[in-house]
Amino acid sequence: MKHLFLSILVSSLVAMGYQLSDKTLTRLGRMPIPPVIDGRISIGEWDCASTTFGGINPETGLMAYRESNFRLGYDKDFIYFASTSELPIPPQQLEEKDTAEIILLPPGANKPIVIKVNSQGRGVLPAGTKIANDFYADTLTSYLRKCWTVEMAIPIKAFGIESIEEGKPWGLQMKRNWTSMPETGCWHHTTSNEELGTFIPDSTAPAISFDGFGHSVYRDSSNYIWTHRIENTTDKPIEIKSSSEVHAFSNPPTLDMINLEAVGEARRVPLEPRQQTIQPGKTGYVELYLMAQFVGTRQIYSYFQDVKTGTVFYRRRMYWEIAKAKKITFKDEKGLPYVCAAFYPSYGNKLKVAGVFSKTLPCMKAVVEVKDEKGRVLKSYRYSNFGRPVEDFEEETILPDLPLGKYFVTMTATDAQERQYSQTRTFEVAKFPWQGNTIGCDRIIVPPFKPLEVKEGSNEVHALMTGYRIGGELWDRIYAQEFPSSPRENILAAPIRFLLNGKPFGDASCKLVSKEQDKVVYETTASTDDAMMTITQEYDFDGFCKADIKILPKRILRVDDFRLEVPLRNDIVKYYSSTGHAGARSGDAPDLSIPAGEGKLDLKGIKFVMGTPAMYFWLGGIYKGFCIINDLPQHFSLRDDAGNVSVTRKGDTVTFNYIIVNKSTFWQEPLLYTFGFEPTPVKPQAEGFRAIGEYMYDYPQPKGAIWATLRVHGSIVNNMVFPPGQLINNDDSYLDFVFAHRGKPISDKEISIFADKFMERNGEWIRKNMPTVSLAPLVRTLKNKRHIGVDKFIMYNDPLLYSCLWPEAEMYKAEWLPWDYPADDAINEYACTHNKSYMDKLLWYMRERARRGFDGMNFDCFPLGGGYNTTVNGGYRFEQGKVPNLHNSNMLQIASAGIKPAGSLFKWRELTRRTAIMMYQEGKTFMGYPWVELHTTNSQCVPVTAFCSTTITWERSSRGNEYQHRFPEGFILAETAGTQSGTIPRCIVSTQKMPNHDPHDIAETLVGLSFAYGLLQHVDQGIVPKDKNYALWRDVVFDFGYGRPENKTILFYSQEKQPVTCNQPGIKTTQVIRPDNKALVLIGNTLDRPVTASFDVSGLKYGKCRFTDLRYGIEIAKPELDIPKYSYGMLLIEAL
Amino acid sequence: MKLRTFLMLVLAVALAFPLVVHCNEKETDTVGKQKILLNAPGDWARQGQKPIMEIPDGIFSVSNQVHFFCTHTFKLQPGKKFSFYAEVRSDDEIKGPLHAAVVLCDKTRKHIPAMCCVVAPGDTMTQLVQPTTEKQNFIIVKNNPKWLELYKQGFGVVAFNARQDLSDLPNSNYSTKITDITPDEENLRVTFEKELYEEFPAGTNVRLHKTSGFYKTIEYVFPNKEWRKIGGVIEAPANIEYFFPCIIYYGPEEKRIQIRNLQMIVE
């Protein structure tokens, strides 16, 4: 009723063409303490004003690309206004027309008063207005860069009134106008200059603020914590009702969604709580935390009312779309010159400086100075061009050992009119406890590997399950054995060799350079009429061989074709794999079975990048095979109409060619290639890990499983904002609490008591000292029962994570980011390139956490990394190119011109290897293995996963389909099963919101496929909730002892023959045989039709048996079950 | 074999032979001398465009204004002499010259303009008589009689800090175009298009360089209907690391230029 009254009231307030809209409304009481007008928003100073994050662009109707907020308050003498907004991207600066604006229409007035100021304080200001500006970082507004804050106090008298009347609505608009790529952000969304929002002074109302999207760096993570804050400034309790909601995906089933079809429609999700009573002087919050809101236009509707009277306190609606915002590349229309600087402390204190100029603004002169904090000049450069415009330049120098402190690289450019343009970059030299460590670098062999064996007479090197015999420049035999007790056999059909213009190298010789248990080095030489080749072969204890291939052309040599030829036995080869798979990630996975037929085989399952060397290629069978890795693009000359791997079959030989040159080039200088090779399998699968089970969103850990969980490291604060390991109020009690209850689940109430006490101790401290820590997800984490009572903890690590807010950033940004010149404001979870210093830091921190109690280490984001950095990771400059002005908003959208990016597989291998050694040295083994886990995202790159025990896989195909279509056998046995690297897969699964399918039916096909291939370690990304069948099989299977070492768990591709056989070839089973003469057969129907499966159990040698269909809990007369299409069954066999 | 068949075979071979001979000259590598043929598809491209992937008759055919670049960059090797040759002709007499040339590159393979490295013929070295200031658009140098003559012949920029032995090349300290040279007693007052933005002391050595261009001509001709071999030794300053051959032609659109037997000799 009150709302209706207000609408009528507002509608009647049409004053000289100005109209008030109640679609945006704030009703608030007086500020008890006026803010200090000094240009800075001090903690608590503006809490009792109404703050609104996000200006709305009137042209698009969406939130402006640039972040800002508005604050409005008042007391008896003044109206207070403040605006904070991100500064332009350097070298752009705030300009005359960058303004903040407040428009107020007092009750009864004909014309609003417009107050508009720029950052110099110039503008239209009523007499007596106090104003102050300042420029500083304000992470509440923007993470990315410093902000401009303007504060002002406007005297009430300026509006021609003596005092503010209670309850009388004012017209209100607040704006921020940006000049570079002009746009305006408004508090009230309207396309009319005559329409204003509404402000109602009311001393009985609270001050309600929308503080923003939280501190999960939503632009990059698409994770949000929408937070409304309610300050009761009155002397009475206020009972308040919220109808605030977000139009969003309430539970995105998977991260691989690329279209709305995959996740269904966005829907309204309420912010909580819906109703609360706030005592006088106290603060209430209404919040919502949601992740992965990547796609589409989002919307927040803020609506607060008094419960009893219905009086509206706050109302606003805002739309935004980050995907669109991300595509915006801010152009500098003026063409300002800019400087880039990169300091490489781990690379001899190398300093690179680039000056970049535009034709739009020609400069005649530029001076670059490198200074320390005291202003001493360490280095200077001067550029001019005899009156022609200065051209882009790049300089590289080695700085001496520098004292700790900050350093500044300033370029001042002068144009023909003597106007100067200046920009400063910074770097720092600092001390950190992790610097220079060698964790994980010790020369030890981790289980299950064993010392390398060298047969000097035949030049053979043997690792645990594989081996090489040197013949020619490489090998004439590659040995592999399926299982530890199987025979080791040669899998080559002919020697592996290089072909130069179609001719092999000859006159090969080899010598053993060094022989140690964990490392063996051979050197081979060979030649043709045209070139000499020397290969240094460095064998690692897992059977990996790093080959440095040096080629010395004997003259200027035209090379039309240069390739590596790997001829494998046809009977070995069944599958192939690489790092990039064909098709949409949200669609069905490709079949990676090798095609039949002779000649060149069409590898449809791989999406090769045209003209670019593949980082990884593997060819083989379920176990045996051979792979190559390569990170570097140098000295490749490839046609741009194909990838560089081809596979051909001729008779009994399947050959993969790794093509290095197929576009004519000339060799004139020595060349160096570094490739990695590894035969498979590298080790037996870590079978014990089949016994682990996870607490899924709607399904507790399975009965009888070893409850293992992946979790973040336990320091709770957001790692994008704070460095990993930083604690809240130095309080690490949460991790103590978690580890104290290892294997001992407790009640929800006990968990809540701990969480409440934690917040009691630290809540105020967080608000004061870490305002960027959002409380809603923190409390959620503290109360998360999925983390209490766990048996084994594996710690989540993102080696791609980088934040400019970390204390190390100013020192290491150049060598931790994948470009020659860093983006100073980079915050991103997919950005980092992991060189040694980054790994040192990560290893130091992981060791500390392992000592605190973590049992394993998980790595996300494989195989990203590498990049365009020519100093750190092998980016290769092949021609001149403009150095881009990188910043967080454009860095992942812009390629560095003239540079070919490098891969990072060798670095990933180093990371998993060092971690495995560290964990082993720390005594952290599980089931006899150090537990290292790679989130492979579908590519089981063997040289990296060789040091892993488990993988996280299958984060794809969420568009939905029956699981038998989503993951064909050729994909499972090439990529998922883990047989080649000796890992157990943990599959990310999702069944929700599949178009045209009942999610329960899809869950059934998931179980059918899982049973067929023994893929029972499910990781939840949206299993349909409350599915009784899904809950049942987990308890039945793990409670029976699946994966437990005392039992035999036999897959159809295990070494041991399955004792129970089926009459239907489309039925595949996983069998668990217990020593107490009980067996469980997990049956998966791989066919698209129902079958009656009849089993021969004589292989169990039980004699007379009892048979139970465990899915339905009924005893059956004979071992025969009807299994629907793609479905499953569970047959219990007990000896009588 | 019947006589008729034999004669037909001979005729066929005779007809085919000229084509075969000019496009299949052998790449040779004798002691001290290597011939590198540059006739393969993909060896040449118009500037900034993709390589030409098909030349079915072994002859490149171009028209209009053409910067015809070799797609391969070669490294100059100390003690080795590089020569570049081609055979050219046109379908009619044309007036525009055709250059067999090279583009010189620095160690990062950035193209070096002619102003940096193409010095005026003869000895044009002289010295500044007065120091220069940033905002000055002229210099006073000791008179070198060649300057007045050569600056109008396309050698109209001044390289500063020049060295007699040319070890300053490539020299990027070169002025804007000379607009005037006025004798002034024993000196020359040399005026430039723009202010210097540089300061040089009196006594600084200076030299005349080529006014413009991105290539260094080895030889040029005015092609006609006859095949003519052009080219010669590539002369590059000592500090140049890389180069690539090119054919430069500024002619009318309706006239076609044909090029064959592109090759480099290294000795």
Side-chain angles (χ1 to χ4, degrees), chain A residues 364-365 382 384-388 391 416 418 555-556 558 639-640 664-666 668-669 880, chain B residues 29 34 36-37 43 50 72-75 108 134-135 160 174-176 194-198 242:
Chain A
M364 299 300 120
K365 193 169 72 175
R382 183 188 181 282
S384 62
N385 202 7
F386 292 86
R388 294 177 294 268
E391 294 179 353
E418 296 292 320
R555 56 192 171 88
I556 297 176
R558 183 192 279 275
R639 294 171 64 105
D640 56 9
S664 189
T665 187
F666 284 94
Q668 306 163 72
E669 299 173 88
Q880 289 295 306
Chain B
D29 187 15
Q34 183 184 358
I36 299 163
L37 297 183
D43 284 347
K50 284 194 170 187
H72 309 291
T73 303
F74 294 93
K75 185 175 171 61
T108 66
E134 278 194 24
K135 302 307 285 181
F160 291 78
Y174 63 91
S175 69
T176 49
K194 300 202 169 159
E195 294 158 350
L196 290 169
Y197 281 91
E198 290 278 356
Y242 294 95

Side-chain angles (χ1 to χ4, degrees), chain B residues 153-209:
Chain B
Q153 294 178 16
F155 294 93
V157 300
V158 174
F160 291 78
N161 293 328
R163 290 193 207 121
Q164 194 71 50
D165 62 359
L166 303 181
S167 62
D168 59 304
L169 300 179
N171 184 342
S172 57
N173 291 312
Y174 63 91
S175 69
T176 49
K177 278 183 193 167
I178 298 168
T179 55
D180 182 57
I181 298 183
T182 308
D184 179 13
E185 297 177 358
E186 292 182 354
N187 302 323
L188 297 174
R189 182 188 169 94
V190 182
T191 308
F192 303 111
E193 271 183 336
K194 300 202 169 159
E195 294 158 350
L196 290 169
Y197 281 91
E198 290 278 356
E199 292 179 353
F200 295 101
T204 300
N205 286 332
V206 291
R207 181 203 298 129
L208 284 185
H209 277 200

Side-chain angles (χ1 to χ4, degrees), chain A residues 28 156 206 251 296 397-398 491 505 512 556 1028 1047 1077:
Chain A
L28 73 159
I156 298 295
N251 186 15
T397 189
I398 298 294
I491 62 171
F505 285 71
L512 179 62
I556 297 176
K1028 285 179 186 167
N1047 304 327
N1077 284 353

